[in-house]
Amino acid sequence: MSFPDPAPARPVVPANARWAAQARDVLERAGLRVDAWPAAPRTALDAAVGASPEVARWLARTPALAERLLEEDLGKVLGVDDYRRRLRPRLGTTPHPEVELRRARAREMLRIVAREAAGLAPVEETAGEVSAFAEAAVEAALERAWVEAGGAEGPPSSVVVLGMGKLGGRELNLSSDVDLVFLYDGRETRGGESAEAFFTRVVGRVVELLGRVTPEGWVFRVDLGLRPEGRSGAAAHSVENAVLYYQSWGQTWERAALMRARPVAGNRALGEAFLREVEPFVYRRSLDYTTVEDLKEMKARIDQSAARRFGGQQDLKLGRGGIREVEFFVQTFQLIHGGRTPAVRTANTLEALARLAGAGVISAETATRLGGCYRFLRSLEHAVQALRFRQTHRLPSSHEELETVARRMGFGGEEPVAALMEALEEVRTEVHGEYGRLMHGADREWGGSDDAEARALLGLTGREEALPRLQAAGFRNPTRAWEGLERLRGTGAKAPPSPRSRRILGRIGPRLLGEVRRCPDPDRALEYLAEFLAGSGARSSYLALLEENPATARLLVQLFGTSQFLSRYLVSHPELLDELVLGPGAATELSLEELSAELDEALAGQEDDEAVLDVLRRFRNAQFLRIALHDLWGGLAPEQVTRQITRVAEACLGAALAHAESRLRERHGEPRLPDGRPARFAVLGMGKLGGEEIDYHSDLDVIFVYEGAGETTGGAGRALGNAEYFARVAQRLISALATRTREGVAFRMDARLRPSGNAGPLVASLEAFAAYHREQSQTWERQALIRLRPVAGDGVLGQRVRAVADEVLYGGPPVQDPRPEIAAMRERIEREVAREERGRLDLKAGPGGLVDVEFGVQALQLLHGWRIEAARSPATLTALGALRAGGALGGADGSIWEEGYRYLRRVEARLRILSERPTDVLPSSPERMAELARGLGYPDPRSLEREVAEWRTRIRGVYERVMGADG
């Protein structure tokens, strides 16, 4: 889509040559020699009067006004400070502030109109300049009104003016009202006069200074209708009362209004503090799709009003595909996503489109197309308003004026009006199409999901009548299915609490039941869906999200019919429904840096300990759901899944450690060494955490090491020795992650792999750690040490600990073969944990299971790591590859272990996703085994069982060869 440039490059031909010539004659007769002017101001003057007979009337009344175009700032963009400097000297203590303000407005609007008409400024620059002048004028009017009302000289300190709407977004048009809200500090006292009465007088005077019609016109019409309680409320409100109002009674339209609010005069810090207070009201933490229904209703009322007022006339703002539809499109997405994605928060429409695209909420192509349409509509709006400087958005009925507008928009030739109308219709169609897809696309996307049988089942009111119908419809347990139907109808003991919830549920219930009936296991899908609705209280925000996102609703039902683990997770954490909106198409692998940055942002400003713990758990829950979804739909390989979970754990460890240390430093000061240097502290991951192989149910195996003797200095409380200080840090860290709160548990931690196990101190100095492992550690402890990896705390100390481990493990050929002891431990695990003699098939602990590979690799690392440096990795598959490359493991045997390990991890991962509880044991139920087989792509369970058995046999064969061979 392309349009003529509404701000064409010079030279500029006046849009209406007759108007331009008449204005020139008037100025020449008044003694102004315009022909002698430089080219730029002369062209700008002709462009302005050739586009606006109203500007020509200004100049006829005050010819000297034209000389404003001779000033050197014609080619510059002026901001608030520029207009403030121009206004203050003129206003000062003049007895006629209304006159000075109106004259200033005429001078500056002449320059602004001329710049746009002459092609020196695009429409968004013009809107920015009009907004900057309005801001300076409001500020000047407030300062004058403040002094006249009895306030002290200087900027008012206890009142703030919020610019709303287009002023807030810095996009005022040439004839806009200014939407203002006045708030004052409720602690202000005024002698015998109440604060409300005093500030009401101030507001009244500001409105008069700006909006009263005089022989010289007005500055800006002022609209106070967006204040708390609307036109029925007080003209000025205290900040405290305004916050209470929005938190208690605020509606969606007021959220949209506040989204564009910014302080424009008075105490701006007071205004910023107010906006921070109401931010949770404006931007909800969850994706807020109730906004769509509210804005649909609001837009419908606007459309009805516009139809009554304007009939069939073309309205550029309120009509089909007009300016308001672009604004509603942008604001709807901002309200939906702004709570979770602060980057999309901005008051300016064009900037918001770019930010929405940058955040991936809309496509870059959509942002570009809508941005072009918006600029075109706003340019056309300016061209229309310049004719008479009236607040109109309708195309003129006069053919001459309409042709002038068309030429001003860059349409030439013999039929400029026809060309303009064709382009306008193209823009309207584009805008209305995007707006319709947002507001009504979900209805079209649902399509035939609302099947007749589902609607008939939901229409059944008698239990006895319903049970045989449910059984015939494919439900194995019709009694439980009947209970689920009651939830979907919004009836029963836990009916939706609000009329809105019941209304939405009435629309989407048949659609959801239709999706349930298409699941392989409709009973379980309906059971979990019913539990979800009951657990969430059928909140309207969740129901609206499902209604507006058919793909998410289908994903949810499919998940309920597939994965017990994820279903239970969502039922207990319904707020994580937002994550399903992203679905399997969202980013799969995130780096530790990305995860840590996201968590740090969520923790920013959280001072309360309980709040910090809740944030950590919400972050962990949301990330687990994201990872599990990609796992379930094949977006991540098993090793990618465990690596992602490990990174989430590391991000939580880092944040929790920082919080624990900050709290202890406040009380006890900074731990230092005897020479005054800061003492270091490191958290080392062991086991699966060290190998980046933890799964959804893993504990975190850790040890804590600090750097040497010393004590804390500088705290408010008593000094602590470093050993006691870091023990408290470790205890706080464990508590921060393992304590159960209302959000659950983040991670359970296990520190038993420390020197001397439970009998040893919780934290060890580097010296004690090194001495223990050099002199006392046993084979199983050295085996555990293989997987040591720094995961949090001081990186330098962490690497020093790792260097000690490498020295102990790989300092030279082993004194004795470690394999007999490792094989004995493996046999004990197989006997006591796997217990396969009872008919269990344990993928991990059974013969030929995952532990065969892990223990075998670790035995080879202890045997050969001293000569194969690359084999010293804590990650099983990485070490395995290095051992193969170094000749410590035959190529064929290495391939069997590598492929078999990946295969069993894949089966294990899918088993854990499907199961309600963590397990490595294949299901004994034929139904569940069939479900597992389907999820892994097998036609029947026997194929899966055969392949698992084959891999276990091959893995065990390699294990016996490796563990029985000579070193």
Side-chain angles (χ1 to χ4, degrees):
M1 182 185 300
S2 61
F3 312 110
D5 188 347
R10 289 181 292 168
V12 174
V13 177
N16 191 311
R18 182 173 68 83
W19 294 353
Q22 289 174 344
R24 280 282 201 103
D25 289 344
V26 170
L27 293 176
E28 294 287 348
R29 287 197 297 272
L32 283 165
R33 298 183 56 216
V34 177
D35 286 336
W37 285 10
R42 188 174 66 246
T43 300
L45 175 67
D46 284 345
V49 294
S52 173
E54 182 64 20
V55 169
R57 280 190 282 274
W58 293 354
L59 297 178
R61 198 163 51 239
T62 313
L65 191 63
E67 294 177 335
R68 174 69 179 91
L69 301 180
L70 292 171
E71 297 181 30
E72 62 182 15
D73 60 9
L74 183 63
K76 299 177 182 176
V77 182
L78 299 187
V80 177
D81 289 340
D82 299 301
Y83 290 119
R84 189 182 288 129
R85 283 192 292 270
R86 298 182 68 87
L87 270 177
R88 276 183 173 156
R90 295 177 180 273
L91 210 57
T93 56
T94 175
H96 305 294
E98 292 97 332
V99 174
E100 286 299 333
L101 280 168
R102 282 149 183 77
R103 288 176 177 173
R105 184 251 188 188
R107 284 191 300 271
E108 301 310 330
M109 289 303 291
L110 169 64
R111 174 188 167 280
I112 290 169
V113 170
R115 274 172 47 78
E116 185 177 0
L120 297 174
V123 65
E124 58 265 39
E125 205 169 274
T126 297
E129 285 200 301
V130 176
S131 301
F133 175 71
E135 185 172 343
V138 171
E139 184 178 75
L142 176 66
E143 291 177 1
R144 181 63 181 241
W146 176 260
V147 172
E148 290 180 7
E153 292 286 344
S157 61
S158 54
V159 63
V160 62
V161 185
L162 299 179
M164 312 290 281
K166 284 186 164 60
L167 174 57
R170 294 183 173 87
E171 49 192 21
L172 286 177
N173 58 46
L174 297 181
S175 225
S176 285
D177 293 351
V178 288
D179 294 298
L180 303 179
V181 169
F182 291 79
L183 302 174
Y184 60 85
D185 187 339
R187 297 166 295 183
E188 179 77 16
T189 57
R190 289 282 144 190
E193 186 179 26
S194 71
E196 181 178 332
F198 173 79
F199 287 109
T200 298
R201 284 199 294 119
V202 171
V203 173
R205 181 59 173 145
V206 171
V207 172
E208 189 176 62
L209 285 168
L210 295 174
R212 187 163 64 88
V213 179
T214 73
E216 274 145 324
W218 62 83
V219 188
F220 289 98
R221 292 174 296 269
V222 177
D223 191 335
L224 303 179
L226 295 180
R227 65 188 185 270
E229 301 179 75
R231 302 189 188 283
S232 63
H237 288 259
S238 72
V239 169
E240 294 81 359
N241 286 345
V243 170
L244 178 62
Y245 168 80
Y246 289 121
Q247 290 176 344
S248 303
W249 296 287
Q251 300 176 52
T252 298
W253 72 265
E254 289 170 307
R255 294 173 57 209
L258 285 171
M259 196 167 58
R260 308 189 78 190
R262 66 181 177 91
V264 296
N267 186 339
R268 285 173 166 79
L270 181 66
E272 294 293 352
F274 163 76
L275 292 176
R276 284 193 297 272
E277 280 284 310
V278 297
E279 192 174 90
F281 161 69
V282 179
Y283 296 107
R284 307 286 167 78
R285 192 174 70 188
S286 298
L287 297 180
D288 183 18
Y289 281 88
T290 55
T291 300
V292 178
E293 184 177 19
D294 289 339
L295 292 183
K296 278 181 186 176
E297 294 174 358
M298 195 187 314
K299 182 63 165 57
R301 290 194 296 270
I302 289 171
D303 290 346
Q304 291 168 4
S305 174
R308 286 195 303 270
R309 290 167 58 198
F310 307 128
Q313 298 232 28
Q314 299 256 25
D315 189 283
L316 301 173
K317 180 179 180 180
L318 303 181
R320 178 187 65 86
I323 292 168
R324 183 55 59 84
E325 287 193 357
V326 180
E327 293 170 345
F328 268 42
F329 178 92
V330 167
Q331 290 162 21
T332 300
F333 277 122
Q334 286 180 294
L335 287 173
I336 290 171
H337 294 274
R340 289 170 56 90
T341 311
V344 306
R345 302 176 188 177
T346 177
N348 183 273
T349 303
L350 290 172
E351 185 180 344
L353 281 168
R355 291 193 182 195
L356 289 166
V361 174
I362 62 175
S363 70
E365 180 189 4
T366 297
T368 299
R369 284 189 284 104
L370 277 183
C373 292
Y374 187 71
R375 287 184 177 92
F376 179 88
L377 290 168
R378 291 299 306 274
S379 296
L380 183 53
E381 176 189 53
H382 280 202
V384 169
Q385 290 183 346
L387 294 170
R388 297 282 181 269
F389 274 82
R390 293 174 184 161
Q391 192 183 27
T392 182
H393 308 281
R394 286 181 288 163
L395 295 175
S397 54
S398 158
H399 181 77
E400 183 181 24
E401 289 184 350
L402 190 56
E403 185 171 318
T404 300
V405 166
R407 294 193 184 282
R408 166 66 190 84
M409 289 291 293
F411 294 94
E414 296 182 1
E415 297 290 340
V417 173
L420 168 64
M421 299 308 290
E422 182 179 346
L424 176 58
E425 180 56 30
E426 188 178 349
V427 166
R428 286 183 180 281
T429 300
E430 181 69 35
V431 170
H432 193 63
E434 287 294 343
Y435 176 81
R437 278 187 283 277
L438 168 63
M439 292 298 181
H440 307 290
D443 292 335
R444 293 192 288 269
E445 192 180 339
W446 273 111
S449 295
D450 180 3
D451 65 37
E453 179 64 13
R455 184 167 290 281
L457 289 170
L458 281 169
L460 297 173
T461 57
R463 182 176 181 276
E464 297 308 316
E465 174 194 6
L467 295 182
R469 286 284 299 273
L470 286 166
Q471 191 160 23
F475 291 95
R476 295 188 307 275
N477 189 334
T479 302
R480 294 292 295 275
W482 169 253
E483 295 170 3
L485 281 188
E486 291 200 302
R487 298 276 186 235
L488 282 180
R489 273 199 298 264
T491 58
K494 293 185 178 179
S498 69
R500 165 180 276 179
S501 294
R502 288 191 290 271
R503 203 164 54 241
I504 300 174
L505 200 51
R507 293 195 296 265
I508 67 169
R511 294 165 171 173
L512 292 174
L513 185 58
E515 295 299 327
V516 163
R517 294 183 65 237
R518 280 182 276 277
C519 282
D521 190 340
D523 286 81
R524 189 164 65 184
L526 183 55
E527 179 183 348
Y528 280 126
L529 179 61
E531 283 191 47
F532 177 82
L533 293 175
S536 66
R539 277 175 46 182
S540 60
S541 57
Y542 297 150
L543 295 174
L545 186 153
L546 294 176
E547 182 176 31
E548 294 299 328
N549 290 271
T552 298
R554 293 186 181 108
L555 193 62
L556 179 71
V557 173
Q558 185 184 1
L559 184 152
F560 284 156
T562 305
S563 170
Q564 289 179 291
F565 169 64
L566 291 183
S567 297
R568 278 286 165 212
Y569 214 63
L570 267 177
V571 166
S572 59
H573 297 90
E575 71 279 2
L576 294 179
L577 180 62
D578 292 352
E579 299 301 319
L580 285 183
V581 177
L582 303 175
T588 50
E589 281 211 80
L590 298 179
S591 68
L592 176 58
E593 291 72 23
E594 289 172 314
L595 290 164
S596 296
E598 183 176 336
L599 180 53
D600 288 345
E601 183 178 330
L603 287 167
Q606 299 288 353
E607 298 295 334
D608 180 69
D609 287 346
E610 186 176 347
V612 169
L613 300 191
D614 283 344
V615 169
L616 285 168
R617 284 148 182 76
R618 284 196 295 269
F619 171 80
R620 178 263 196 199
N621 292 341
Q623 292 302 326
F624 269 34
L625 182 59
R626 174 185 66 82
I627 295 164
L629 285 172
H630 287 294
D631 187 356
L632 184 61
W633 278 280
L636 291 170
E639 57 265 36
Q640 291 176 302
V641 170
T642 56
R643 187 163 58 238
Q644 280 289 282
I645 297 173
T646 302
R647 288 174 183 169
V648 172
E650 288 184 62
C652 290
L653 278 167
L657 177 59
H659 180 70
E661 287 186 306
S662 70
R663 286 289 187 261
L664 282 168
R665 276 198 302 268
E666 290 171 9
R667 183 167 182 79
H668 300 290
E670 191 83 24
R672 294 193 175 275
L673 299 176
D675 62 6
R677 289 182 295 117
R680 303 172 188 268
F681 178 76
V683 183
L684 294 306
M686 306 289 283
K688 287 188 170 165
L689 175 60
E692 296 186 273
E693 297 170 357
I694 65 174
D695 60 38
Y696 304 104
H697 310 286
S698 294
D699 293 349
L700 305 185
D701 291 309
V702 295
I703 60 173
F704 305 104
V705 177
Y706 69 96
E707 186 183 34
E711 66 177 16
T712 61
T713 60
R718 70 180 179 89
L720 297 177
N722 285 350
E724 183 181 358
Y725 175 85
F726 287 120
R728 292 192 182 191
V729 169
Q731 288 163 351
R732 279 180 170 263
L733 173 59
I734 292 171
S735 176
L737 295 179
T739 299
R740 181 171 294 279
T741 74
R742 61 186 176 183
E743 301 285 345
V745 170
F747 292 96
R748 292 182 176 84
M749 299 178 71
D750 190 336
R752 287 177 295 178
L753 293 177
R754 64 186 183 268
S756 301
N758 283 341
L762 181 60
V763 298
S765 68
L766 178 61
E767 294 78 8
F769 174 86
Y772 178 85
H773 282 289
R774 284 169 181 156
E775 300 166 11
Q776 301 180 45
S777 62
Q778 302 175 50
T779 300
W780 72 267
E781 290 174 302
R782 290 194 297 278
Q783 183 184 353
L785 211 57
I786 290 172
R787 312 196 81 182
L788 179 145
R789 182 175 63 88
V791 293
D794 187 87
V796 173
L797 178 59
Q799 291 304 321
R800 288 168 66 188
V801 177
R802 179 68 236 185
V804 170
D806 284 349
E807 175 200 333
V808 170
L809 296 169
Y810 311 120
V815 175
Q816 64 182 32
D817 190 337
R819 288 176 293 181
E821 286 190 53
I822 292 176
M825 282 188 286
R826 172 68 182 106
E827 184 179 350
R828 182 178 174 185
I829 289 172
E830 190 176 313
R831 184 176 62 252
E832 297 179 3
V833 177
R835 295 177 296 172
E836 292 203 349
E837 70 276 6
R838 301 183 184 181
R840 294 157 45 95
L841 190 61
D842 193 315
L843 298 171
K844 180 178 180 180
L850 294 165
V851 177
D852 272 11
V853 180
E854 292 167 354
F855 274 38
V857 167
Q858 289 158 20
L860 292 176
Q861 286 177 286
L862 290 175
L863 277 171
H864 302 284
W866 64 277
R867 65 179 184 83
I868 306 174
E869 186 175 349
R872 301 171 189 174
S873 171
T876 301
L877 287 173
T878 303
L880 175 57
L883 290 166
R884 292 177 63 191
L889 185 64
D893 285 348
S895 294
I896 290 171
W897 265 6
E898 184 174 334
E899 292 176 37
Y901 190 76
R902 283 199 166 98
Y903 174 80
L904 292 182
R905 288 301 298 268
R906 177 169 167 256
V907 176
E908 178 194 48
R910 180 51 56 102
L911 177 60
R912 290 191 164 211
I913 283 285
L914 296 178
S915 302
E916 189 172 352
R917 294 182 177 82
T919 183
D920 297 297
V921 179
L922 289 181
S924 57
S925 160
E927 292 174 351
R928 294 291 171 254
M929 192 63 188
E931 186 178 359
L932 176 63
R934 280 196 306 271
L936 290 164
Y938 288 90
D940 64 79
R942 287 170 297 181
S943 302
L944 171 61
E945 290 168 353
R946 278 196 301 270
E947 191 158 2
V948 167
E950 289 170 6
W951 274 114
R952 280 165 45 108
T953 300
R954 297 170 73 188
I955 288 170
R956 176 46 65 106
V958 175
Y959 175 82
E960 289 174 347
R961 285 193 291 277
V962 166
M963 300 303 282
D966 294 331

